[in-house]
Structure formats: structure tokens, C-alpha cells
Amino acid sequence: MCQSQPAYFHMMAKPSSFHCNIKCEYCFYLEKEQVLTHNVRLMSEETLRNYIKNYIESHSGDHVDFAWQGGEPTLLGLDFFKSAVKFQQEFANGKTITNGFQTNGIALNRQWAEFFKENNFLIGISVDGLSEVHDRYRISVNGQPTFERVKRAIELLKEYEVDFNTLTVINDKNWHKGKETYQALKALGSTFMQFIPIVEVANYSLQRNDYNPGKNYRMAPFSVPADGYGHFLLDVFTEWVCQDVGRIFVREFDNLLGQWLGYPSTSCIHTETCGTAMIVEANGDVYSCDHYVYPDYCLGNVNTKPLNEIALSTKQQKFGNAKKETLTKACEKCDVRLICQGGCPKHRIVNLKGEKFKHNYLCPSYQLFFRQTAPLMHRMRDIVQQGGLAEEIMKIIN
């Protein structure tokens, strides 16, 4: 299928589409039941095979990382992912294949844990740290709390020595509880953490098959305040930098330190352009980004078109370059722009007077966090550049 030049890009597969075994009130992907124009069921084995073959052949380099997400990917069943591993081995052609698997943990049992361990899957567990916050939004389909079930899933992963990290959503209920959330995640045994802000508009309408909130947009009540995400990260950073550098790994902090050291952002949120992280839906349709699964951003299908052609298509290149081409003047003049790069385009919903383009809703958070952490980040950068370890910062400030 893939005869043209391979390309560097990353795919996230959603084999269960929007289908899930719990019903999180703040889940942005639940809307896809109305947005997607096709009848979405679970991914077929034929599409799975075509996707794996296509991705491996299309991707440059010797390492191909598969990311499985949803909805809830465990809905496909264990045999589906056994087939995935079989296809990966069949088409690897000497390349190293790795797998990441994002789950709410509800369906995990010993069979899943054993499979993950045997096949070196990295598991992402969605958990909001504090039980009362988690159980406010992450509820079962019959309205029951899920925190204790997720806690048991984490214990199972630890028992089987499966590598895992935690993904925590920052919302209206926990943005001011950074320290407590961080301590709760540590108590669960998480040593790799990621914090995702929830920014959702309550009253947008799908116009021209696109996401385009109007001037009179209203934020969904569970959204994090505009400066709340920054306060949360700063609270966590204050705890982390005093006692856990080199022991607990927080993606947002690791990425920021890397940027201060001169490396490009490992997160598309803070890269100058985007477009190299696409998603494949259950029926094989490929979209520009996880946050842009709308009809206007459908690029083709893995069953009929090579992924490298999709990644290098004019449509996708235009999508990626639009990030830097649609910055506000305020953003261009900002002293942390080279670190921030305007944030995720999906969050650019704020209308500023005199501006042609929309501004990022989370701008106050990014300015707060980047500016407040800069002195200590610079000291860690200097330590590393002089041949030391970032964790030496703790001896200096304690």
C-alpha cells in the first residue's frame, strides 16, 4: 500500500470510538456520537490489520509507537489486542514496536494485567487523585462512583509490575487543590503524572462541519478557570521541586525543563506548529488531531490511503501551520511566547479588542506558570548544563 516516502508522525487509535463503560460528565469525546457522520461501531479486525500495516510501513525511523485510547479501549476485549500484537509482529520488518494504552481501569483484571506485562504495554490510568473529585465526574453508567474500582486496578498493575502513569483532569473542582491532588496520586503509587485542563464550551454549534464557538460562548461549568490550571501546576511544582525531582516525573515539568535546555517541546501544545499527531477512528477514518474530530478535518481512511501521504498532505500541513499563523498580536509580544507558542489552537476562543485572531483561554494560566517557575527552572537548567542532575536543586532550596 505505502510506496511513497515514509514520514515522521504519531498516531492515536480510538478503536472503541466514543463508546465507554463509564460516563464522565466532562468527557469531550462523548459528543462524537452526534458529530461523526458515519455509523461508528468498534474497530473490525480487518481495519486493525490495515491500520497496523499502514502505520508501520508509513512511519520513518526504527521505532513505531502505537497509542490506544477511546472512549474505552478495553471494550474491544483482550483478543482484539492479542491480534494487534500479532499483526505488529507480522509487519514489524525489524522495527521496534511499543504500545501505550489509556484506560479508566474499570475492566482491568488479572488477564489484562498479565497481557500488558508480557507485551510491555505502558498503561495510562485516568484518575483524578482525590476520591471526592474523581467521583464527582467519573461515574459509572448507572451513576455509581468509580474511584475505588480504579484504585484496585492500579494495585493490580503494581502487583504485576506493569509500567503505568496517571492522567488527571483539572476542572472546576480541583484546580485549587494542587498540593492535595499531587499527594493523593503519590499515595496511589503514581511516579509518572500528567495533568490535563478541561476547557469546554457549553453552547457552541457545529457550523460548516467545524468547531467554531461564537462571540457569546459560555464555558461548560466543569471547565477549569482561565488562570486555574496555572495555579494548580504551580501548587504541584512547589511540592515537587522541594522533595521529588528525579523521583516523581510530571510530564508538564519535564517538558518545560527540556524547553529551557533548548530542546523542542515534546508536547504538541507548546510546539510552534502542530499536525504531526493524528488520530484514527474505529472505522479507519483519520483526523487532523484528537481535538479536531469534526467532518472538516477528516483526511482519509487507513483502509484505502497510506498514512504517510495523509501526514504530508497539503490539508494537514495547512492545519499544522495555522497554529503559528493565527497568533494574536498580544501573543506574539508575550515574554513567554517561545515557551508557550500560543497553546492548543482548540483553546483559542477568546475575542480580544483589535485582534484578527482569537486568543487562548488558558493564557493567564500559562503566563502565571511559566513566569513563576522560571527562576528555579533556570537553576535546574544550569545544573544540568554543568553536568549535574536536576534533582540537585533540592539541596539548594531546602
Side-chain angles (χ1 to χ4, degrees):
M1 180 189 294
C2 305
Q3 301 298 320
S4 54
Q5 184 68 29
Y8 285 100
F9 59 93
H10 184 261
M11 294 296 302
M12 177 192 294
K14 291 182 175 284
S16 59
S17 187
F18 53 81
H19 301 290
C20 192
N21 53 2
I22 65 174
K23 191 174 184 179
C24 303
E25 185 177 336
Y26 56 49
C27 180
F28 77 97
Y29 216 73
L30 289 178
E31 70 167 11
K32 304 311 174 188
E33 186 171 4
Q34 285 76 43
V35 169
L36 296 176
T37 57
H38 55 271
N39 185 18
V40 179
R41 295 185 175 90
L42 304 182
M43 182 178 283
S44 68
E45 187 164 301
E46 179 184 7
T47 296
L48 173 67
R49 183 182 187 277
N50 290 340
Y51 166 57
I52 288 174
K53 182 176 187 292
N54 194 340
Y55 189 18
I56 293 173
E57 292 182 352
S58 293
H59 194 277
S60 291
D62 298 324
H63 175 238
V64 184
D65 178 56
F66 283 82
W68 307 97
Q69 202 177 75
E72 173 52 41
T74 56
L75 292 178
L76 278 295
L78 193 51
D79 286 344
F80 178 89
F81 290 98
K82 288 180 177 178
S83 295
V85 170
K86 181 186 69 174
F87 293 141
Q88 289 170 350
Q89 293 170 344
E90 179 182 351
F91 299 118
N93 194 27
K95 294 184 178 182
T96 299
I97 308 297
T98 55
N99 288 278
F101 191 99
Q102 186 66 40
T103 176
N104 57 40
I106 299 299
L108 296 191
N109 55 27
R110 293 188 178 278
Q111 288 73 34
W112 279 105
E114 185 176 4
F115 170 78
F116 291 148
K117 181 62 178 178
E118 288 180 353
N119 295 282
N120 298 311
F121 272 53
L122 172 63
I123 309 304
I125 290 284
S126 298
V127 57
D128 288 349
L130 297 165
S131 60
E132 64 270 22
V133 175
H134 181 101
D135 287 336
R136 171 61 180 83
Y137 291 124
R138 303 191 65 81
I139 57 174
S140 66
V141 291
N142 60 358
Q144 296 302 305
T146 63
F147 180 81
E148 289 300 322
R149 297 170 70 180
V150 177
K151 185 177 178 180
R152 287 195 295 270
I154 291 174
E155 292 300 322
L156 190 63
L157 294 176
K158 290 192 291 185
E159 178 184 341
Y160 279 80
E161 298 181 332
V162 176
D163 290 334
F164 74 94
N165 55 43
T166 53
L167 187 151
T168 300
V169 172
I170 313 309
N171 54 65
D172 68 313
K173 301 299 183 185
N174 63 357
W175 67 267
H176 54 296
K177 298 179 179 179
K179 177 180 178 179
E180 299 94 320
T181 302
Y182 180 63
Q183 291 174 336
L185 291 169
K186 286 171 60 176
L188 287 171
S190 176
T191 56
F192 291 84
M193 305 175 186
Q194 183 178 357
F195 300 109
I196 304 296
I198 190 74
V199 178
E200 291 296 320
V201 172
N203 61 334
Y204 88 94
S205 59
L206 193 65
Q207 299 175 353
R208 303 188 310 278
N209 295 321
D210 193 0
Y211 175 81
N212 188 29
K215 291 183 179 180
N216 296 319
Y217 70 87
R218 183 178 72 256
M219 299 306 298
F222 46 70
S223 293
V224 67
D227 64 347
Y229 184 52
H231 283 291
F232 179 91
L233 289 179
L234 195 56
D235 285 349
V236 176
F237 180 82
T238 300
E239 288 292 298
W240 173 82
V241 78
C242 289
Q243 54 187 293
D244 292 323
V245 182
R247 191 173 69 88
I248 303 293
F249 300 90
V250 179
R251 185 185 182 191
E252 290 73 23
F253 304 163
D254 293 345
N255 180 66
L256 181 55
L257 179 57
Q259 287 183 281
W260 284 121
L261 283 164
Y263 296 101
S265 172
T266 58
S267 168
C268 58
I269 294 171
H270 299 303
T271 54
E272 184 179 25
T273 60
C274 55
T276 59
M278 300 174 292
I279 77 114
V280 57
E281 252 289 342
N283 70 336
D285 282 345
V286 179
Y287 290 85
S288 293
C289 168
D290 181 33
H291 290 285
Y292 283 87
V293 180
Y294 300 100
D296 276 2
Y297 299 93
C298 186
L299 303 168
N301 190 288
V302 295
N303 292 297
T304 57
K305 191 172 184 179
L307 280 167
N308 49 334
E309 289 186 11
I310 291 176
L312 297 173
S313 66
T314 300
K315 183 176 182 179
Q316 183 64 356
Q317 297 300 304
K318 183 178 179 181
F319 170 83
N321 289 330
K323 182 180 181 182
K324 69 176 181 179
E325 295 170 353
T326 57
L327 291 174
T328 61
K329 295 176 182 177
C331 192
E332 289 178 340
K333 296 176 182 178
C334 181
D335 60 321
V336 296
R337 181 181 69 83
L338 295 180
I339 293 292
C340 177
Q341 300 293 1
C344 178
K346 179 73 178 292
H347 297 159
R348 295 178 185 175
I349 58 177
V350 178
N351 295 284
L352 297 181
K353 186 176 180 179
E355 294 279 11
K356 177 181 179 182
F357 303 113
K358 294 181 180 180
H359 201 64
N360 198 300
Y361 171 82
L362 290 174
C363 176
S365 282
Y366 293 139
Q367 288 187 348
L368 173 67
F369 177 62
F370 295 145
R371 288 170 180 166
Q372 292 294 315
T373 59
L376 288 177
M377 279 288 178
H378 291 169
R379 297 189 76 172
M380 281 191 283
R381 175 196 61 193
D382 295 342
I383 290 170
V384 173
Q385 288 178 334
Q386 292 166 13
L389 299 174
E391 61 199 63
E392 294 172 22
I393 188 69
M394 294 184 292
K395 297 178 182 179
I396 296 174
I397 64 177
N398 286 329

